[in-house]
Amino acid sequence: MPNILVVEDSPTMRQLISFAMKRISNSRVIEATDGVDALKKLSSDTIDLILCDINMPVMDGLKLVSLVRGNPTFKDIPIIMVTTEGAEEDRKRAIAIGANAYLPKPIQTQELIKMVNTYLGGSGS
Amino acid sequence: MVEKETSYLNKAEEFIQMFKKGEEFTKDILRENEKLRFRVAQLEETVERSGDEARTKLYDERIRLLELELNSLKDKFIEVEEENKDFASKYLGVEEENNNLANLYVASYQLHSTLDFSEVLRIVVEIVINLIGAEQFAVMLIDDKTNDLIAVATEGIHASETLRIKIGEGIIGRVTKEGESYFAEDLSVMHDFNAFEPIVCIPLKIKEHVIGVISIYKLLTQKSGFTNVDYELFNLLAGHAATAIFSSRLYTQSERKLTTIQGFLDLLKDKPKR
Ligand SMILES: [Mg+2]
């Protein structure tokens, strides 16, 4: 039963992503509204994959990715960025910091599901 | 003596005759036998030959039937394959429809999730950024006092840049007056921001009554055009965002009035009696 952490400040996007994740069998969605909230959820739950926005208050997505990659317990969790930042340099920066994949908004749900399945399969969850 | 001799000779002759007859008879039998053998061989051959022919005929018939069966199976296979393709494309269509409906459901759910005016505006902005994919836009409402359009929420531009727009004036004013959405032919903006030149302008309508507009000036880099679900979302925003904005504004205003009245009442209650 994979646990997916959705880090998004927009309630609309959180609901939409959670909706999409219901199509991944047995998955459970844990929601976080920013980077700091995500770190709390990472400590209290076993997370198999992170879907992460970039522009968020308190702590943005890029900062969160670098903290996760620097943490020995969480460093191997696959991270997919889901963001409005569609420029190639933004994508490169996120990948360089440690994100596994990058999906610009507005998202195509099928594409997101496919991507999540790829990384969940790869992580053996 | 002679008689005896003659009698012996006669008997010998008789015997020879008998023997000859026997020989002939045996020869006859042998001939017959030979004939029969030949006939049997002939018959055997005929039977064998006719058996082969029958078998060949049978095999031919079987092959013909199997070929028929094979062809019908081939036809069925093609039919099933076609059906399969049809199902696959239908499945993709259903998937897409499902996702589109999810987008619309979430948008409408969020729009009606609160009665707080600023919260509703924040949700409208979220939908236009995240679900439509706009980078620069303004939500403008008709000001009750001046009857001009004024920005109440903006993204990517400052509210002061949007100016006041008179009903009927330019693209935005015309959309407000006529209640019909506007879509520029070329969605990629080359020029700098111009408050009067949106690429998309959606009227916010309660039935036929326009209360404001959403003016989009620029889409996100990765958004090159609109899909069916975008138009559905625009329709949804035109109706649902308008109702949500209108009712939340009324609610917030009445809440404020209620607080004021409550304040007065409290003041009156607290007034020391003489
Ligand atoms: Mg965000």
Side-chain angles (χ1 to χ4, degrees), chain B residues 21-38:
Chain B
K21 270 186 188 172
E23 190 195 1
E24 236 158 76
F25 183 67
T26 311
K27 272 183 185 169
D28 276 351
I29 286 175
L30 281 174
R31 261 197 304 274
E32 272 307 300
N33 188 274
E34 190 71 9
K35 272 186 196 168
L36 279 171
R37 273 197 196 181
F38 180 71

Side-chain angles (χ1 to χ4, degrees), chain B residues 215-274:
Chain B
S215 309
I216 300 175
Y217 298 96
K218 194 182 173 192
L219 298 177
L220 291 167
T221 334
Q222 63 270 29
K223 182 88 181 180
S224 52
F226 294 128
T227 57
N228 284 341
V229 72
D230 292 323
Y231 293 110
E232 298 268 357
L233 272 167
F234 284 134
N235 272 339
L236 182 126
L237 281 171
H240 287 241
T243 332
I245 287 173
F246 190 77
S247 48
S248 65
R249 192 162 57 171
L250 275 185
Y251 183 78
T252 308
Q253 278 168 359
S254 62
E255 276 281 279
R256 211 178 294 144
K257 274 181 194 158
L258 189 72
T259 317
T260 316
I261 294 166
Q262 193 64 53
F264 272 124
L265 285 174
D266 289 346
L267 263 177
L268 286 173
K269 260 193 272 177
D270 291 344
K271 206 173 168 187
K273 283 171 190 158
R274 272 185 284 176

Side-chain angles (χ1 to χ4, degrees), chain A residues 8-10 53-56 105:
Chain A
E8 243 302 342
D9 60 320
S10 151
D53 183 21
I54 290 185
N55 301 320
M56 291 182 291
K105 294 176 191 170

Side-chain angles (χ1 to χ4, degrees), chain A residues 10-13 15-16 19 23 83-84 86 104-106 109-110, chain B residues 95 98-99 103 105-106 109-110 122 126 129-132 220 222:
Chain A
S10 151
T12 310
M13 278 312 287
Q15 192 184 18
L16 191 73
F19 236 74
R23 311 260 290 282
T83 172
T84 50
K105 294 176 191 170
T109 316
Q110 293 103 312
Chain B
E95 273 279 286
N98 191 9
N99 294 332
N103 274 27
Y105 169 78
V106 168
Y109 180 96
Q110 292 292 332
R122 189 186 56 72
E126 256 184 32
I129 299 174
N130 293 298
L131 301 191
I132 301 273
L220 291 167
Q222 63 270 29

Side-chain angles (χ1 to χ4, degrees), chain B residues 45-113:
Chain B
E45 205 177 308
T46 312
V47 166
E48 198 139 302
R49 214 184 306 132
S50 68
D52 270 356
E53 266 170 32
R55 237 172 279 151
T56 311
K57 262 190 190 168
L58 194 72
Y59 287 153
D60 279 351
E61 184 62 14
R62 273 195 193 159
I63 288 170
R64 198 181 63 83
L65 286 173
L66 283 172
E67 266 174 1
L68 275 177
E69 212 172 318
L70 181 72
N71 284 337
S72 117
L73 281 174
K74 268 186 192 166
D75 286 348
K76 277 240 172 74
F77 179 74
I78 291 169
E79 214 174 285
V80 168
E81 213 176 25
E82 282 301 311
E83 228 169 81
N84 215 11
K85 269 185 209 161
D86 197 34
F87 279 138
S89 83
K90 268 191 192 142
Y91 175 75
L92 282 181
V94 169
E95 273 279 286
E96 201 186 317
E97 194 63 22
N98 191 9
N99 294 332
N100 293 351
L101 284 172
N103 274 27
L104 295 173
Y105 169 78
V106 168
S108 126
Y109 180 96
Q110 292 292 332
L111 280 172
H112 298 295
S113 65

